[in-house]
Amino acid sequence: MKLTVWTYEGPPHVGAMRVATGMKGLHYVLHAPQGDTYADLLFTMIERRDHRPPVTYTTFQARDLGSDTAGLFKRACQDAYDRFQPEAIIVGASCTAELIQDDPGGLAETMGLPIPVIPLELPSYQRKENFGADETFFQIVRHLAKPAEKTARVSCNIIGPTALGFRHRDDVQEITNLLYELGIEVNVTAPMGATPGDIARMGQAHFNVLLYPETGEQAARYCEKTFGQPYTKVVPIGAGATWDFIEEVRRHSGSAAQIDSDCLRQSWWSRSVDSTYLTGKRVFIFGDGTHVKTAARIARDEMGFEVAGIGCYNREYARDVRTLAKDYGLEALISDDYLAVERAIEALQPEMILGTQMERHIGKRLGIPCAVISAPVHVQDFPARYSPQMGFEGANVIFDTWIHPLVMGLEEHLLHMFREDFEFNDAAGPSHHGGHATPQTAPAPEAAPQDDNVIWLSEAEKELKKIPFFVRGKARRNTEFYATERGLHEISLDTLYEAKAHFAR
Amino acid sequence: MTDRMTPPPALGCRSAPVLKQRGQREVFCGLTGIIWLHRKMQDAFFLVVGSRTCAHLLQSAAGVMIFAEPRFGTAILEESDLAGLNDAHAELDREVETLLARRPDIRQLFLVGSCPSEVIKLDLSRAAERLTQLYAPKVRVLEYSGSGIETTFTQGEDACLASMVPVLPATQERNLVVVGALPDVVEDQMLSLLADLGVGPVQVLPARTIDADVAVGPNTVFALTQPFLSDTHAALIRRGARHLAAPFPLGEEGTTAWLAAIASEFGVTQDTFDTVTEAPRRRARQAVAQAAEALDGKSVFFFPDSQLEIPLARFLTRECGMRAVEVGSPYIHDEIHGPDLDLLPAGPQISEGQDVDLQLDRCRAARPDLTVCGLGLANPLEAEGLSTKWAIELVFTPVHFYEQAGDLASLFARPLRRKRILNGPALEAAQ
């Protein structure tokens, strides 16, 4: 047993639901107890879908357990077929049904439904949501995709986007446009938007574009082996990665079409002088393997940050992330325990966090700015506006998203210059809150009781107050740490500046 | 004192035929009760023994609350726990030890059973006994099931309270126990109304802390503020307490009838009753009248969710002028829901249980003006052009007693008002 409050990933059958809900004409019959329908609201609320997920639950109850849960499953399966007339059905068990050991696959097979029935084996007590999505999509492809003549024009499949994917909707559009510019047609995008009929003709494509390894890698490998379709290894998040992706696509397709990158503003924005203050900002990066790997490259090579910590929660990509961390001279944090992540962040004291919804809250608690780069995300990260992460527009979106939580360079400068000014003093709060902002209560680090052994002399205390509020907590901590380490019991003005010099980078 | 209550309609719904269906149920399991129960019981921790699905459910239902160092968590069963049961008890002991060391403020620990723990027959009641002995007197460990195979949504609160009843101190005193977790503000209003009526001593279950002196015995009478408390009802009767049957305190009429049942039991005079209730009744009627303008003459359809459906339908039909098409409830207990069914005007289909696809067919055919349903159905039905009110809000929001009557009506009126605004002249002009 393991005590958990927050989970980064749901159980594997939720991954299967993400595939089923992303597709059309496919139905999922899930052997599950009453209550597991809670997962429907992830789709209808967080993603704001306007239809119910295509999932039928057997909804067994305690009184059914002694008798015929297998019969219940068959009835649910038949009802689902009669009512929804899907092109194909996937069947599986949730964690509780796994324990009662009905075999949904075997049961469904004996029913003789006139459509393909695909059984899923999702080990709920070992694996998680991303595995469930990857495995489900792989099984669907394995059962339905047929060898086929390649299309006359160069075409590819886009693999990996699902329901409830972080920015999948807009990434698909951005990459489809990019491929179009390269003269490449998209044969099938799957699972998102595909029907079982579409899956059947995936073999026609010349190669595959794997957008999200977490949810599509098994299928991509299978297609490579079975249909001789190579797949792209670069995930086009960030300007550099996008250019590499274009190169890779050119290799697979022979396309020599010129790419118009006028819309890529991120590179200039990042070189412009107002971005100079970003240099060496220490960032901590956490999320799923793919988004973390791409974010690390953007952070270091395109934004000029210093990557202070790196990690992922899906252990399927632990090896990749460990290797990457080594390149950055770091030890990777592979954990799905958010308390471990919180401890790591606390110890590193980064100036910014790039993470998931949980890191956003950790950041809020510790007073560290944070931008969301990866699932799990909440409803506000399924925006109405176009906001891809991939391609050139994605690079623009990322630049804006990452720097908004930071105090802008000019603003930072002004705060230094006019810190005694009535509008820029601490009590006025951040400038964008206007003059009527309620005075801020002291931030948590300041309110923390001082170390019993260290006393701030009034002169040092006064000087500390002159330091802008958003770095003051850190200055206080560093100074106290410096003093404690040296066995000092009082912090004078000198101690403050000694410490500042000591920690200067 | 029955003359205080509006006479029941010529034909209520108590003997109406109930449509009972089995099939797919689109409902929460009892674990969700933890979300509001842990706010109410300030010294309690709820430890679910279950799977990743259970943890995921709690986090989906708790929304952002999960980050405020909540007093609940899940001990997730792993593969090794399924292999041998003895091991599972040692594992549980270890997790509880870690937990109580980290949270020394915890005085009551609830081990909450889930579908997986019930199916593998993990004996949580023995674990609770063992742990109680181990951590006595500081921490009391109790056990109940919030599993989906046994409980639906609010029944989780019922199972929790029922687990507390056997360990409540015994008393010979004549006292009133009011049962059901209410928001603090509502609870305070209720206590003050009862105090003004001269009723006492009054205790509340669940109390805010373990130290509150809730006691039960043969002279105890109890009233329910929530309709989903049938097991707790039975457990209290086993301890010798007597139930005061009444409609639930929703709306002006419901609150008055609920108070009247208690007043009658405690021999409160008509004069005192009128003096105490006159002003808040007037306020409630006025607030409901204002808020319910949009509801008058509209039809309403209830999907089953919380067992609050029947009293809510009674409030909406009698005080807001709505017409009920179907009133679905996950479970109906005659002793508990009867007084509200008596008042509910005949007409609507009363249904118990659910086959969600068939019920959706009925709902689509009826095209009600307002559909009360869960979040899994709300947006899909909106997309089909139906107005919905999502039901979960009714469990979290203060809706009971006089001062909240207007708020309760506006919860239902808001979706209709919103639809009118969004389909207003601007849209017509654009088209």
Side-chain angles (χ1 to χ4, degrees):
Chain A
M1 278 179 215
K2 179 151 178 32
L3 183 62
T4 311
V5 178
W6 179 267
T7 66
Y8 282 94
E9 289 183 76
H13 72 258
V14 169
M17 285 181 72
R18 287 177 52 188
V19 171
T21 307
M23 288 181 64
K24 295 187 170 79
L26 180 85
H27 203 84
Y28 184 17
V29 182
L30 180 61
H31 204 17
Q34 160 174 276
D36 277 4
T37 49
Y38 82 87
D40 282 1
L41 66 90
L42 303 173
F43 300 93
T44 59
M45 297 307 291
I46 295 182
E47 208 179 3
R48 289 188 225 247
R49 289 199 170 246
D50 60 2
H51 58 269
R52 295 170 63 212
V55 183
T56 293
Y57 303 80
T58 55
T59 328
F60 58 83
Q61 291 173 268
R63 59 183 172 197
D64 302 319
L65 286 180
S67 54
D68 187 22
T69 47
L72 198 64
F73 176 83
K74 282 171 122 172
R75 268 200 305 286
C77 210
Q78 187 66 47
D79 285 353
Y81 172 74
D82 294 342
R83 174 173 285 267
F84 299 105
Q85 296 284 314
E87 289 176 46
I89 285 185
I90 54 176
V91 298
S94 79
C95 52
T96 306
E98 203 181 324
L99 297 172
I100 61 174
Q101 302 190 332
D102 292 331
D103 170 22
L107 289 169
E109 228 166 83
T110 61
M111 293 174 58
L113 293 175
I115 50 166
V117 174
I118 304 164
L120 302 174
E121 287 294 338
L122 302 175
S124 312
Y125 296 90
Q126 295 169 323
R127 310 303 295 265
K128 293 179 242 172
E129 178 178 333
N130 279 326
F131 170 83
D134 192 40
E135 171 70 16
T136 302
F137 182 50
F138 164 59
Q139 291 300 342
I140 290 171
V141 171
R142 196 169 74 89
H143 278 82
L144 300 181
K146 303 275 181 299
E149 189 105 350
K150 299 278 181 266
T151 52
R153 284 187 59 188
V154 177
S155 66
C156 68
N157 300 315
I158 293 180
I159 288 184
T162 64
L164 217 63
F166 175 61
R167 307 294 166 88
H168 287 195
R169 179 195 70 197
D170 298 340
D171 284 348
V172 167
Q173 187 176 334
E174 186 69 16
I175 296 306
T176 304
N177 290 345
L178 182 63
L179 290 165
Y180 179 77
E181 278 187 60
L182 286 163
I184 299 158
E185 240 167 80
V186 174
N187 180 50
V188 173
T189 301
M192 189 131 88
T195 63
D198 294 331
I199 303 289
R201 52 185 189 81
M202 276 175 70
Q204 297 173 352
H206 292 241
F207 68 102
N208 286 323
V209 167
L210 176 60
L211 286 193
Y212 306 100
E214 268 83 358
T215 49
E217 190 155 11
Q218 277 199 78
R221 286 213 182 113
Y222 173 81
C223 291
E224 184 173 51
K225 214 173 71 190
T226 316
F227 307 127
Q229 294 167 331
Y231 66 91
T232 55
K233 308 290 192 299
V234 178
V235 176
I237 300 179
T242 301
W243 285 118
D244 290 353
F245 173 80
I246 290 168
E247 273 318 299
E248 201 184 9
V249 168
R250 285 196 168 121
R251 272 205 312 282
H252 291 315
S253 65
S255 162
Q258 284 305 301
I259 289 297
D260 174 12
S261 62
D262 282 359
C263 64
L264 176 63
R265 285 172 290 274
Q266 177 254 2
S267 307
W268 162 244
W269 253 242
S270 190
R271 282 198 308 276
S272 72
V273 291
D274 196 50
S275 298
T276 314
Y277 77 106
L278 298 174
T279 315
K281 286 249 187 227
R282 300 171 65 247
V283 295
F284 178 85
I285 307 177
F286 198 84
D288 68 38
T290 297
H291 284 92
V292 163
K293 276 157 49 184
T294 50
R297 177 172 175 185
I298 301 170
R300 186 180 66 182
D301 303 341
E302 296 173 25
M303 304 289 274
F305 292 147
E306 180 195 333
V307 178
I310 199 169
C312 73
Y313 59 77
N314 50 343
R315 62 162 192 249
E316 288 89 347
Y317 290 85
R319 185 176 297 180
D320 288 14
V321 172
R322 284 210 180 91
T323 314
L324 178 82
K326 243 181 225 136
D327 287 351
Y328 284 70
L330 299 167
E331 187 76 38
L333 172 68
I334 313 295
S335 175
D336 63 352
D337 178 356
Y338 88 108
L339 292 173
V341 178
E342 188 173 75
R343 281 194 295 274
I345 292 173
E346 227 162 347
L348 281 168
Q349 286 292 326
E351 285 157 281
M352 180 177 193
I353 306 168
L354 301 171
T356 72
Q357 196 60 218
M358 277 80 100
E359 282 69 45
R360 210 168 65 86
H361 284 267
I362 293 171
K364 209 188 274 175
R365 203 175 75 79
L366 300 175
I368 302 171
C370 179
V372 171
I373 60 159
S374 157
V377 292
H378 207 49
V379 61
Q380 69 268 36
D381 275 302
F382 283 91
R385 66 178 185 278
Y386 185 59
S387 34
Q389 298 286 292
M390 293 186 174
F392 295 135
E393 186 57 26
N396 296 337
V397 168
I398 286 173
F399 181 86
D400 289 347
T401 310
W402 289 14
I403 65 159
H404 276 176
L406 298 168
V407 183
M408 294 297 291
L410 186 61
E411 198 175 9
E412 187 169 327
H413 182 67
L414 288 174
L415 280 164
H416 269 293
M417 276 187 43
F418 301 122
R419 61 192 169 209
E420 305 294 340
D421 184 286
F422 74 100
E423 273 174 330
F424 280 107
N425 67 26
D426 305 347
S431 58
H432 61 279
H433 287 166
H436 302 293
T438 43
Q440 289 192 320
T441 49
E446 276 199 302
Q450 292 184 21
D451 193 313
D452 287 345
N453 301 319
V454 187
I455 298 157
W456 284 79
L457 297 178
S458 67
E459 217 179 11
E461 186 85 54
K462 227 168 98 189
E463 193 68 11
L464 183 72
K465 289 231 170 81
K466 294 183 191 166
I467 296 171
F469 62 86
F470 47 88
V471 287
R472 194 181 307 148
K474 196 167 97 179
R476 178 188 279 276
R477 243 190 329 269
N478 282 349
T479 311
E480 284 170 5
F481 180 73
Y482 177 86
T484 318
E485 232 184 15
R486 278 158 192 73
L488 301 174
H489 296 296
E490 293 177 342
I491 293 174
S492 66
L493 198 55
D494 280 345
T495 325
L496 180 67
Y497 283 115
E498 291 285 343
K500 186 173 188 298
H502 177 77
F503 286 105
R505 295 189 310 274
Chain B
M1 295 195 106
T2 46
D3 59 316
R4 284 195 191 122
M5 288 165 59
T6 321
L11 189 59
C13 284
R14 195 162 187 166
S15 54
V18 175
L19 177 69
K20 294 189 185 188
Q21 280 184 331
R22 292 205 52 193
Q24 179 177 329
R25 287 183 157 209
E26 187 83 19
V27 288
F28 280 128
C29 66
L31 294 182
T32 24
I34 292 170
I35 310 289
W36 65 87
L37 278 174
H38 89 285
R39 302 306 312 160
K40 187 73 206 172
M41 293 189 248
Q42 293 159 7
D43 54 1
F45 191 100
F46 294 80
L47 179 63
V48 178
V49 181
S51 65
R52 177 167 302 280
T53 311
C54 307
H56 196 235
L57 159 84
L58 281 178
Q59 125 181 359
S60 308
V64 294
M65 204 196 278
I66 203 138
F67 297 103
E69 186 85 11
R71 281 172 285 103
F72 59 83
T74 311
I76 294 187
L77 292 165
E78 290 165 328
E79 185 112 284
S80 52
D81 299 310
L82 302 177
L85 282 177
N86 289 334
D87 189 35
H89 281 277
E91 292 275 308
L92 184 60
D93 288 2
R94 195 198 57 218
E95 289 303 334
V96 167
E97 191 186 340
T98 326
L99 172 71
L100 291 178
R102 214 174 86 195
R103 300 296 302 267
D105 51 324
I106 299 304
R107 303 279 318 279
Q108 323 181 52
L109 175 67
F110 288 95
L111 303 177
V112 189
S114 66
C115 302
S117 77
E118 297 291 323
V119 167
I120 64 168
K121 306 229 180 306
L122 187 58
D123 191 350
L124 289 182
S125 63
R126 223 182 62 210
E129 274 172 35
R130 189 179 63 242
L131 289 165
T132 296
Q133 282 168 8
L134 203 59
Y135 294 102
K138 214 195 137 230
V139 185
R140 182 178 72 189
V141 185
L142 292 175
E143 168 271 340
Y144 72 90
S145 171
S147 73
I149 56 178
E150 289 160 311
T151 57
T152 303
F153 193 30
T154 46
Q155 279 185 300
E157 175 174 333
D158 188 26
C160 174
L161 300 191
S163 80
M164 298 168 77
V165 173
V167 297
L168 291 178
T171 180
Q172 293 297 317
E173 197 186 6
R174 173 171 165 78
N175 62 343
L176 171 69
V177 178
V178 182
V179 192
L182 292 174
D184 288 351
V185 51
V186 179
E187 189 177 296
D188 292 343
Q189 287 169 16
M190 172 195 74
L191 291 172
S192 131
L193 280 167
L194 290 173
D196 291 348
L197 288 173
V199 173
V202 183
Q203 291 136 19
V204 181
L205 183 73
R208 294 178 204 187
T209 69
I210 195 174
D211 297 321
D213 48 354
V214 189
V216 64
N219 296 315
T220 300
V221 288
F222 68 94
L224 305 178
T225 56
Q226 302 280 21
F228 41 75
L229 297 169
S230 60
D231 284 357
T232 312
H233 174 270
L236 283 165
I237 285 174
R238 271 199 296 279
R239 296 278 313 258
R242 188 158 49 83
H243 178 217
L244 304 179
F248 286 93
L250 295 163
E252 184 269 322
E253 187 187 31
T255 306
T256 305
W258 188 87
L259 287 171
I262 293 169
S264 158
E265 169 71 22
F266 282 80
V268 178
T269 64
Q270 182 78 45
D271 273 358
T272 313
F273 190 86
D274 291 343
T275 316
V276 170
T277 58
E278 196 195 328
R281 286 181 73 173
R282 184 179 40 75
R283 281 200 300 272
R285 274 198 300 269
Q286 189 185 338
V288 170
Q290 277 165 13
E293 212 179 317
L295 299 175
D296 193 38
K298 298 286 197 300
S299 60
V300 59
F301 191 109
F302 282 90
F303 279 80
D305 200 54
S306 62
Q307 299 184 43
L308 279 160
E309 296 82 4
I310 289 169
L312 286 172
R314 185 260 302 151
F315 165 70
L316 290 176
T317 49
R318 292 175 60 104
E319 296 184 47
C320 303
M322 293 191 90
R323 182 174 60 83
V325 180
E326 174 165 339
V327 183
S329 177
Y331 296 103
I332 300 174
H333 297 271
D334 187 60
E335 284 158 282
I336 295 176
H337 295 104
D340 278 300
L341 282 169
D342 278 337
L343 292 173
L344 182 63
Q349 174 73 64
I350 309 292
S351 65
E352 184 180 11
Q354 184 176 37
D355 182 322
V356 71
D357 286 314
L358 297 180
Q359 194 167 28
L360 280 166
D361 289 345
R362 293 199 298 278
C363 180
R364 289 181 183 121
R367 295 216 56 90
D369 295 308
L370 187 67
T371 303
V372 185
C373 61
L375 289 173
L377 300 177
N379 270 338
L381 287 176
E382 289 279 350
E384 293 179 25
L386 294 173
S387 285
T388 61
K389 166 76 217 107
W390 46 283
I392 301 159
E393 197 178 2
L394 299 161
V395 179
F396 290 110
T397 316
V399 294
H400 290 70
F401 292 94
Y402 291 127
E403 312 305 337
Q404 283 68 238
D407 303 342
L408 178 58
S410 38
L411 281 180
F412 293 94
R414 197 171 299 129
L416 296 176
R417 276 176 44 220
R418 181 164 186 80
K419 188 167 200 174
R420 212 163 54 203
I421 292 167
L422 297 183
N423 292 334
L427 188 75
E428 278 161 30
Q431 284 163 349

